[in-house]
Amino acid sequence: MKRLCLLFFILMFAVNTFAQYKQPPKETEDILNAPAPPVTVVSPAKDKILLLKPLRYPPISELAEPMLRLAGLRINPNINGQHRQPYFVKLSLKNIADGKETPITLPNGAQIISPNWSADGKYIAFGNQTPTGIELWILDTANGKAKKLTNLKVNTVFGGFDWMPDQRSLLVNLVPSKRNAAPTKSDIPTEPNIQETSGKGGAVQTFQDLLKSPTDEKLFEYYATSQLAIVDLNGKTREIGQPAIFDTTTPSPDGKYILTERIQRPFSYLFPASRFPTEVEVWDLQGKIIYKLASIPLQDQLPIQGVTTAPRSYDWIPTENAALMWAEALDKGDPKNKITPRDKLMKLAAPFTAEPTEVIKVEQRYLGRSFGEKDGLMLFYDFDRDTRRRRIYMMDYRSNNAPKLVSDLNTGDRYNDIGQPVLKTLPNGERVILQNGDEIFLTGAGASPEGDRPFLRKMNLNTLKSEEIWRSGNTEFESFVVLMDDNGSKFLTRKESPLDPPNLYLRSAAQSQTPQKLTNFTDPTPQLRGITKKLVKYKRADGVDLSFTLYLPPNYKEGTRLPTVVWAYPLEYTDASTAGQVSGSTMRFTNIGGYSHLFFLLQGYAVLDDATMPIVGDPLTVNDTFIKQIVDSAQAAVDKAVEMGVTDKDRVGVGGHSYGAFMTANLLAHSDIFRAGIARSGAYNRTLTPFGFQGERRNFWEASELYSKVSPFFFADKINEPLLLIHGEADNNQGTYPIQSERLFAAIKGNGGTARLVMLPLESHGYAGRESIGHALYEQINWFDKYVKNAKQRENKNQAVKQ
């Protein structure tokens, strides 16, 4: 009996030990436990900065809270809101003028979500997640006092709250106060789950978290339904209309109307809520329907990369009292139809009794618009799918004059990107393009062959000539944040360098003036400062320019060949000139977090980060050479690192996340460049995503040979290097079902290969829980230590055993 008890104790201890989450080495865990820097949000009044301390990694217990996976959404029924919504744990206000910082008193355990400045900067509205619901709070920025608006619970399944144009009240999605108890879900079915189709085609993507039963429909309807209401600063509430499933609700700029989009039955078991039937209507503040813009049916027949034939992209014109603008397709929404123009923009103003008028026909697929603050200025964008060129046009939307072409670039051309217009907040809260006489301001990444150098420019609307006001230096990385005045003479930037953490600075357009430092965030991880990095350029065998950022570990000795990790993500391009453009900057502050591959640096590895893997070719057939292009790119990267003397060519591993995981498995199946691989949250059998993947336009039945050729699952018998597969059990990303990793692991096992499958409970496509992140790092480091860093020792030992 004693022996049996002892054996039972040992077995229980072993099971519990095995079941525990593992943690990475101490030097890695110390970095994980370092505090996250505050998030900064500048007031629209430009007088204060809101500082928010985020919860960097929630405990796994928070991920384990109830989750309903319904219609493409993830709902926490306890709070009637989004499951696992990111939140902040501390707030403070900092004066820009004198630097005084005021901490905000909050209840213990506060979980702050969606902080939102009023347009005049006098108030901040925010939500507080509690175990039983989401409260609505108001912060008075003059005295730093926050108060809860009593007897209100916000429904954040769709929407939440936003300021009305008067900036003294909010439009809120409330949990209905008079609803019945939630539907119950029984394990005993009461009816079969039935779907039917007949004669209607349309791409069916691999959406996740869909409705599966009549009970799911009832649960979705129950938790997604909200009561629309206007709530003032004292909590006085005026309900608007009847409860409904409001996808969007937007007040008109004059505050007299609300544009609503209500989701209707019948629901679908093949598509998420974004495809469900909707009623798009203009309501008055009593909930009366003033105008019906559209009754949109279930969107179950959209072509691949197509759009709806119903009105889309509808919204208020921000500079008019109450006028709508929207887009309509002229090519039946199908990009395969060779028709121009493809779209048109329509307009209708209050009182909505006239017929809509056409603003302009758009030659290619309409992408979006931005309005200026005066003169009817509108910038709009279109996109040619075949050439991948995006154009920017400028026009006075009130006139019939032809639009003026502002920019015409390949979407991959970062070097010549003119940037984005700088916006300002109007008194009613609307965001518009800031106009200074005949000029607007532009800001962008400033991509160049040496890396990103963000800029601020002004552009004359008549001549379209640009003049640079400021650009980041080449020994630091500094990005534009906000203009402090309307003439561009003063502005805020965020500056950092490899040794200095990001901080806010007040700059003058007069370059002779020294910038004023506004924040003083310190280095949370000084032990990382010994890491070095530099941009490395080289060529692929076919002449395409490639690059990677070479990271070397602390205390690296020149000339030492290291075990190396290549980390990459393939991207598609139409031509080699854009494919070879450099992105990112080596002048940024080195900050490592999450389950990053850069943690390998603390274990003595070199890392070739963002090793470019361009897939270049005609958009229709570019993937026909996917395998050859990634193999050639990988070989070129490794060859360059070996040539530089930093990489031991016999100790190189490769890894990637999502599409990068797909790439990793293919590299192991079709080359012998690497010792081992790490593939996280990937898809490996493209026949399970039959209506396209990434930029692939053809479906499986049009290109079945391609779908098989690029699927590493079909070549599992060729994966003869060790592969670590990591996947979140609750992955919600389109196409990357957890079964993708499970079946590839089984295929490798069945063919006698070496693999390890790590399924992370409760985790999605990206991993959030502190325990999960620590364990993922533990697995990654152990895997490459075993099969990459110590590969030679293992081989010598195995040979000795055989002899």
Side-chain angles (χ1 to χ4, degrees):
M1 180 60 70
K2 288 182 180 179
R3 289 179 178 174
L4 286 173
C5 289
L6 179 60
L7 178 61
F8 176 77
F9 174 79
I10 292 172
L11 287 173
M12 287 301 295
F13 178 79
V15 169
N16 289 335
T17 301
F18 180 79
Q20 289 177 349
Y21 284 95
K22 303 292 194 302
Q23 293 304 312
K26 183 180 183 304
E27 56 269 23
T28 295
E29 197 161 9
D30 288 345
I31 303 299
L32 278 181
N33 293 333
V39 174
T40 58
V41 186
V42 179
S43 162
K46 318 294 175 60
D47 60 341
K48 298 178 187 294
I49 303 170
L50 177 63
L51 305 176
L52 305 108
K53 180 181 179 181
L55 177 72
R56 196 168 192 181
Y57 310 116
I60 201 72
S61 58
E62 288 193 11
L63 275 64
E65 290 179 359
M67 177 171 66
L68 300 175
R69 302 167 69 168
L70 303 169
L73 306 174
R74 294 188 166 182
I75 301 169
N76 182 341
N78 290 349
I79 64 172
N80 210 126
Q82 297 174 22
H83 188 273
R84 208 175 73 189
Q85 191 163 350
Y87 61 84
F88 304 95
V89 294
K90 285 185 180 179
L91 305 179
S92 62
L93 287 170
K94 189 178 186 71
N95 293 341
I96 290 178
D98 59 14
K100 180 184 176 182
E101 189 169 331
T102 304
I104 308 303
T105 302
L106 299 169
N108 291 333
Q111 298 182 2
I112 305 306
I113 65 169
S114 307
N116 190 348
W117 283 97
S118 63
D120 57 8
K122 294 184 181 298
Y123 300 97
I124 298 173
F126 61 87
N128 179 33
Q129 289 185 157
T130 74
T132 58
I134 299 171
E135 304 166 344
L136 184 59
W137 285 63
I138 298 293
L139 169 61
D140 186 329
T141 63
N143 58 26
K145 303 293 184 182
K147 67 177 181 181
K148 181 180 75 171
L149 303 185
T150 57
N151 302 319
L152 296 176
K153 290 293 175 65
V154 182
N155 185 343
T156 63
V157 173
F158 289 103
F161 51 88
D162 203 357
W163 290 99
M164 288 289 289
D166 64 6
Q167 304 301 303
R168 293 298 179 268
S169 59
L170 294 128
L171 184 63
V172 186
N173 292 77
L174 295 174
V175 175
S177 58
K178 298 178 182 179
R179 68 179 181 182
N180 297 321
T184 57
K185 195 166 187 175
S186 173
D187 292 333
I188 303 174
T190 59
E191 56 186 311
N193 304 321
I194 299 172
Q195 301 179 61
E196 184 175 339
T197 184
S198 178
K200 295 181 179 181
V204 182
Q205 287 88 353
T206 48
F207 299 112
Q208 305 213 44
D209 300 336
L210 301 177
L211 300 176
K212 296 180 179 178
S213 69
T215 301
D216 279 356
E217 295 184 53
K218 295 173 185 176
L219 287 167
F220 167 71
E221 203 161 35
Y222 182 85
Y223 288 106
T225 296
S226 61
Q227 172 64 59
L228 201 60
I230 294 176
V231 181
D232 70 14
L233 298 178
N234 295 312
K236 183 179 179 181
T237 301
R238 173 156 57 103
E239 295 185 349
I240 301 174
Q242 296 299 310
I245 304 176
F246 294 102
D247 190 354
T248 57
T249 55
T250 310
S252 60
D254 64 3
K256 294 181 179 180
Y257 304 96
I258 300 172
L259 177 63
T260 67
E261 182 179 6
R262 295 182 294 119
I263 293 177
Q264 304 282 293
R265 286 178 176 269
F267 304 146
S268 170
Y269 292 8
L270 288 177
F271 298 93
S274 59
R275 297 283 196 93
F276 288 0
T278 56
E279 297 291 330
V280 185
E281 301 159 337
V282 176
W283 290 10
D284 64 17
L285 299 189
Q286 287 70 48
K288 178 183 177 182
I289 299 174
I290 303 300
Y291 176 72
K292 184 183 291 292
L293 175 59
S295 293
I296 303 176
L298 176 68
Q299 298 298 293
D300 60 348
Q301 299 177 53
L302 294 185
I304 294 176
Q305 299 180 357
V307 299
T308 178
T309 56
R312 70 182 199 279
S313 301
Y314 30 79
D315 204 352
W316 301 105
I317 298 174
T319 51
E320 296 197 26
N321 289 332
L324 292 170
M325 187 177 288
W326 66 91
E328 293 181 11
L330 298 174
D331 62 353
K332 299 183 180 180
D334 191 343
K336 290 183 178 180
N337 291 333
K338 303 300 181 182
I339 297 174
T340 58
R342 288 192 177 276
D343 284 316
K344 64 179 178 180
L345 292 180
M346 305 294 291
K347 176 181 177 291
L348 180 65
F352 309 106
T353 53
E355 289 296 314
T357 58
E358 183 178 299
V359 178
I360 192 170
K361 286 185 169 66
V362 182
E363 184 178 359
Q364 299 299 334
R365 179 65 69 220
Y366 167 78
L367 282 185
R369 59 188 178 266
S370 299
F371 291 94
E373 59 180 313
K374 58 186 178 181
D375 304 328
L377 175 66
M378 181 179 76
L379 301 184
F380 69 90
Y381 311 82
D382 76 355
F383 175 67
D384 186 334
R385 188 182 76 143
D386 294 332
T387 63
R388 292 192 177 173
R389 298 188 72 86
R390 187 198 71 165
R391 297 182 297 187
I392 305 175
Y393 284 96
M394 177 179 67
M395 67 177 295
D396 180 346
Y397 72 87
R398 303 166 306 179
S399 73
N400 294 322
N401 294 335
K404 182 186 293 187
L405 181 64
V406 177
S407 173
D408 182 2
L409 288 177
N410 188 293
T411 54
D413 187 354
R414 302 181 74 250
Y415 291 174
N416 295 297
D417 185 10
I418 67 169
Q420 297 296 319
V422 174
L423 305 181
K424 70 176 291 185
T425 303
L426 298 179
N428 62 3
E430 297 288 343
R431 297 279 286 165
V432 295
I433 299 170
L434 171 60
Q435 291 177 249
N436 181 36
D438 292 333
E439 295 177 331
I440 65 172
F441 299 94
L442 300 170
T443 183
S448 74
E450 290 71 44
D452 290 354
R453 293 180 56 202
F455 63 79
L456 175 64
R457 296 170 182 160
K458 56 184 178 182
M459 183 180 76
N460 186 285
L461 296 175
N462 297 318
T463 65
L464 299 183
K465 291 183 178 180
S466 294
E467 179 183 338
E468 192 164 281
I469 298 173
W470 163 87
R471 190 174 188 185
S472 174
N474 54 17
T475 59
E476 70 272 328
F477 181 86
E478 192 169 2
S479 56
F480 171 82
V481 175
V482 66
L483 283 179
M484 297 298 284
D485 53 35
D486 285 0
N487 61 17
S489 63
K490 291 185 178 181
F491 51 95
L492 293 191
T493 64
R494 179 177 287 104
K495 185 167 74 170
E496 60 189 280
S497 74
L499 299 179
D500 302 307
N503 274 287
L504 294 181
Y505 286 78
L506 176 61
R507 274 192 169 273
S508 170
Q511 298 296 319
S512 59
Q513 296 187 17
T514 303
Q516 176 188 350
K517 191 175 183 180
L518 300 180
T519 58
N520 192 30
F521 304 139
T522 57
D523 186 352
T525 54
Q527 61 269 50
L528 297 181
R529 288 327 112 214
I531 293 171
T532 60
K533 55 186 173 181
K534 68 176 180 179
L535 176 66
V536 177
K537 301 177 186 178
Y538 51 102
K539 288 184 181 291
R540 201 164 65 182
D542 59 1
V544 173
D545 289 323
L546 304 176
S547 65
F548 58 70
T549 299
L550 172 64
Y551 283 82
L552 294 173
N555 304 315
Y556 172 72
K557 293 183 179 180
E558 195 73 25
T560 305
R561 292 191 179 275
L562 300 176
T564 299
V565 175
V566 176
W567 204 268
Y569 189 97
L571 294 173
E572 298 169 5
Y573 298 89
T574 55
D575 62 83
S577 62
T578 55
Q581 292 188 3
V582 173
S583 63
S585 171
T586 58
M587 293 296 109
R588 302 203 69 163
F589 183 66
T590 301
N591 186 28
I592 306 176
Y595 39 92
S596 171
H597 52 283
L598 295 181
F599 278 110
F600 280 108
L601 292 163
L602 302 183
Q603 305 304 314
Y605 291 78
V607 175
L608 313 188
D609 187 35
D610 194 21
T612 51
M613 298 274 175
I615 314 302
V616 184
D618 182 284
L620 182 62
T621 59
V622 64
N623 283 318
D624 290 355
T625 56
F626 178 89
I627 300 298
K628 177 173 173 49
Q629 293 200 55
I630 63 169
V631 170
D632 287 352
S633 296
Q635 187 67 66
V638 173
D639 287 349
K640 183 61 178 180
V642 172
E643 175 193 314
M644 295 174 67
V646 298
T647 290
D648 180 347
K649 67 180 179 62
D650 294 321
R651 293 190 296 161
V652 185
V654 64
H657 190 92
S658 194
Y659 205 51
F662 172 69
M663 170 207 74
T664 297
N666 268 310
L667 285 171
L668 296 191
H670 298 286
S671 77
D672 293 310
I673 303 169
F674 301 102
R675 283 283 185 173
I678 297 173
R680 298 189 315 230
S681 301
Y684 312 105
N685 183 348
R686 286 303 171 190
T687 68
L688 299 180
T689 57
F691 287 97
F693 56 91
Q694 293 298 103
E696 179 56 51
R697 301 178 182 181
R698 299 163 292 181
N699 64 39
F700 169 75
W701 297 274
E702 294 169 327
S704 56
E705 183 180 352
L706 166 73
Y707 276 68
S708 302
K709 184 172 70 174
V710 300
S711 295
F713 175 83
F714 284 71
F715 300 90
D717 59 329
K718 305 297 183 184
I719 298 177
N720 51 15
E721 295 87 9
L723 177 61
L724 172 63
L725 295 160
I726 303 178
H727 215 120
E729 288 186 350
D731 192 330
N732 65 341
N733 184 58
Q734 183 176 320
T736 54
Y737 287 110
I739 197 174
Q740 290 271 8
S741 288
E742 293 168 345
R743 298 318 301 159
L744 180 60
F745 173 77
I748 294 173
K749 180 183 184 301
N751 283 283
T754 300
R756 181 176 174 87
L757 175 64
V758 179
M759 302 298 291
L760 298 173
L762 308 175
E763 293 291 354
S764 187
H765 190 59
Y767 321 137
R770 175 62 180 80
E771 295 88 339
S772 302
I773 288 171
H775 191 91
L777 289 171
Y778 165 86
E779 295 283 356
Q780 292 176 170
I781 291 169
N782 276 9
W783 193 254
F784 274 2
D785 277 358
K786 183 177 181 180
Y787 291 110
V788 177
K789 180 191 284 186
N790 302 315
K792 292 181 179 178
Q793 293 92 315
R794 283 176 48 82
E795 287 181 354
N796 293 337
K797 184 177 179 181
N798 290 338
Q799 289 176 359
V801 170
K802 290 179 180 179
Q803 291 174 355

